[in-house]
Amino acid sequence: MAKNFVSNSTESVRMFKSNFMEALSKVHFSVPLFIYVPVVLYFLGKSVFVLHTNAGTIVLFYFLGILGWSLVEYVLHRFVFHFTPKGKFMERIHFVFHGVHHDYPNDVKRLVMPPSVSIPLAVLFYFILSAVFNKVQFHAFFPGFVTGYLIYDMSHYALHHYNFKSKFWKELKRHHMLHHYQDSSKKYGVSSVLWDKIFRSE
C-alpha cells in the first residue's frame, strides 16, 4: 500500500484543542535519555551491589532485554500503530498514535515517545516482566529492555534527521524510509531489521 506524502516540514502540526494535551504530545528527543538512563543505572547498580549477581548473568539477561525490546518494538509498530481504524473515533485514535508521524514524518517534536506515553508503558512492562523473571534475572533484563527502548527512540530521531556515512546506518535509514515513502505495510523494524527478516515483512 503506497503512502501519500503529506509534509516534509520539521514543524509540529497541532493535534489537540487543549494546550495541555498538545504539550503532552510533544517532546525534545533528548528527554527520554534524562528519564531512562538513571533507570538503567539504578537496576544495573542493584544487580551488582545489592543482589551480587555474577557478571555473566548480568550480561546475558541485559542483552536478552535489548533483544526483547526489539521484538516488542516490532509487534507494537506492526499490530498496534498500524491497525486498520474503523469509524471516526478510531481514525482519530490512529492519527494521534501514529498517523500523524506518517503525515508529518520529520516533525522534530514527535519522533520519540513523549513521557505521557512512555512512562505508563514502562510501568506496565515493569510489572509484566517482574512477574515473568525471578529477581536476579529481572534486575538485569529490565535495564536491557529499557536500553533497547532508548536505542529505538534515539535511532528513530537520527534516521529522520541525520545523514549517515556508515553502511549499517545507511541501510537502516533506507529500510525505514521505504516504510514511510514506499509501502507502510512492510519494514516495521526501526532500530533493527531482524524481526522483519524473521517474519518476512521486508
Side-chain angles (χ1 to χ4, degrees):
M1 178 173 60
K3 174 71 178 78
N4 294 324
F5 173 78
V6 176
S7 173
N8 209 31
S9 172
T10 59
E11 299 300 316
S12 297
V13 62
R14 190 173 184 92
M15 290 203 302
F16 300 99
K17 292 180 180 179
S18 163
N19 290 334
F20 177 72
M21 291 297 293
E22 183 68 11
L24 288 180
S25 75
K26 299 177 182 180
V27 62
H28 189 269
F29 79 91
S30 65
V31 169
L33 295 172
F34 290 103
I35 296 174
Y36 294 106
V37 167
V39 173
V40 171
L41 295 176
Y42 169 80
F43 280 94
L44 289 177
K46 192 170 179 181
S47 287
V48 174
F49 300 111
V50 178
L51 300 175
H52 305 291
T53 308
N54 68 70
T57 299
I58 292 174
V59 170
L60 173 63
F61 281 92
Y62 180 80
F63 282 102
L64 285 175
I66 293 175
L67 183 65
W69 165 263
S70 72
L71 176 58
V72 168
E73 169 196 315
Y74 176 87
V75 170
L76 284 176
H77 191 188
R78 180 171 182 174
F79 298 107
V80 179
F81 295 163
H82 278 277
F83 78 94
T84 302
K86 294 181 180 179
K88 293 291 184 183
F89 177 75
M90 293 309 295
E91 286 177 3
R92 174 63 177 165
I93 294 296
H94 178 265
F95 178 78
V96 168
F97 270 92
H98 198 59
V100 66
H101 174 54
H102 274 267
D103 287 353
Y104 300 88
N106 293 317
D107 180 340
V108 293
K109 295 293 181 67
R110 292 193 174 107
L111 277 171
V112 300
M113 280 191 195
S116 57
V117 175
S118 70
I119 291 175
L121 277 177
V123 171
L124 174 64
F125 280 111
Y126 172 90
F127 286 109
I128 292 173
L129 295 173
S130 64
V132 171
F133 296 102
N134 65 42
K135 183 181 284 190
V136 168
Q137 295 167 344
F138 171 74
H139 278 78
F141 186 94
F142 188 67
F145 190 83
V146 174
T147 299
Y149 158 68
L150 289 175
I151 292 170
Y152 155 75
D153 253 357
M154 297 306 107
S155 296
H156 192 208
Y157 184 87
L159 293 175
H160 281 276
H161 287 287
Y162 293 159
N163 291 317
F164 300 103
K165 294 183 179 180
S166 76
K167 183 179 178 180
F168 171 82
W169 286 103
K170 281 183 176 180
E171 285 300 313
L172 194 60
K173 180 166 185 168
R174 177 179 176 276
H175 182 86
H176 190 57
M177 292 304 107
L178 287 173
H179 170 76
H180 269 282
Y181 297 110
Q182 180 173 299
D183 189 347
S184 63
S185 67
K186 296 179 180 178
K187 304 182 187 302
Y188 298 101
V190 176
S191 63
S192 169
V193 302
L194 173 65
W195 301 106
D196 281 303
K197 292 181 180 294
I198 291 173
F199 295 117
R200 300 173 182 264
S201 53
E202 291 186 281

